[in-house]
Amino acid sequence: MKNIAIYPGTFDPITYGHIDVIKKGINLFDKLIVAVSEIGDKNHFFSTDERINLIKKSLHKDMKISSKKIHVIKFSSLTTTLCQKYKSNIILRGLRAVSDFEYEFQLAGMNRKLNEKVETVFLMSDVDNQVISSRLVKEIALLKGDLKKFITKSVIKEIKKKYERSN
């Protein structure tokens, strides 16, 4: 039986922190499904399809990570429903700081109540990437700061295009 993990998030945009968790995930699991949420904050910077495209470009083109064990999808259901669909009993979540833990702990508990067969596995990104958040990346981009330490070349290119179009 394959160990399939679901890594859900908005990835708006994908950062080196997310990529760290993905790299660690593909070393732990037979297959990793990066699930891009279509719901939640209606003011996404990138559309769902753009985020999926950027994830694929960042992982496979920029970072040269093989696509054999990674499947990128969009979803608009409960994560536990997604687990059932893909025959997974593992939800992968990244932790950056203690401030993330309370929310993630509560979310893991709720997912467990929804499906007692689902376990949440928490992974930390490398220390250098623990301070990175998509929200802060967008703020740095808006203020024309250097993004190279936070996101891949593909994301930098697309985020700059977006801000140029809006000005």
Side-chain angles (χ1 to χ4, degrees):
M1 186 171 155
K2 282 191 168 195
N3 262 336
I4 300 169
I6 308 280
Y7 181 29
T10 54
F11 306 100
D12 189 34
I14 188 169
T15 68
Y16 284 132
H18 295 125
I19 292 169
D20 272 349
V21 171
I22 290 168
K23 286 163 111 176
K24 290 173 182 180
I26 59 176
N27 287 327
L28 293 171
F29 306 106
D30 299 316
K31 184 176 183 181
L32 181 64
I33 297 170
V34 179
V36 180
S37 177
E38 293 186 285
I39 57 173
D41 181 7
K42 302 261 189 250
N43 297 318
H44 293 298
F45 190 73
F46 290 105
S47 72
T48 307
D49 290 336
E50 287 173 323
R51 287 181 275 148
I52 287 172
N53 230 4
L54 283 175
I55 291 167
K56 289 177 180 178
K57 281 183 182 176
S58 292
L59 295 177
H60 310 311
K61 180 183 167 209
D62 297 338
M63 302 300 296
K64 308 288 189 239
I65 298 170
S66 170
S67 61
K68 289 179 187 172
K69 292 176 74 174
I70 302 169
H71 187 56
V72 184
I73 61 159
K74 58 183 160 185
F75 79 108
S76 58
S77 65
L78 290 169
T79 306
T80 52
T81 303
L82 201 61
C83 287
Q84 288 174 324
K85 179 178 178 178
Y86 288 94
K87 296 176 178 48
S88 170
N89 63 342
I90 303 162
I91 296 173
L92 179 61
R93 298 292 293 172
L95 287 176
R96 289 176 301 195
V98 174
S99 57
D100 290 344
F101 184 76
E102 188 174 339
Y103 171 76
E104 293 294 342
F105 180 80
Q106 190 174 20
L107 187 60
M110 290 299 284
N111 285 328
R112 186 74 172 185
K113 287 269 190 202
L114 290 166
N115 183 339
E116 63 187 28
K117 294 177 183 169
V118 171
E119 271 309 325
T120 301
V121 174
F122 298 102
L123 292 177
M124 303 283 296
S125 60
D126 289 339
V127 173
D128 291 347
N129 296 319
Q130 287 178 2
V131 296
I132 303 172
S133 75
S134 296
R135 182 181 57 80
L136 292 175
V137 164
K138 289 180 278 196
E139 195 170 317
I140 292 166
L142 176 67
L143 299 170
K144 297 182 181 11
D146 186 3
L147 298 166
K148 290 180 194 123
K149 293 179 183 175
F150 311 114
I151 53 179
T152 66
K153 289 177 184 179
S154 294
V155 179
I156 291 171
K157 182 180 171 185
E158 292 304 315
I159 210 167
K160 284 182 177 180
K161 272 191 213 174
K162 280 256 189 201
Y163 277 121
E164 285 170 8
R165 276 188 236 137
S166 66
N167 288 335

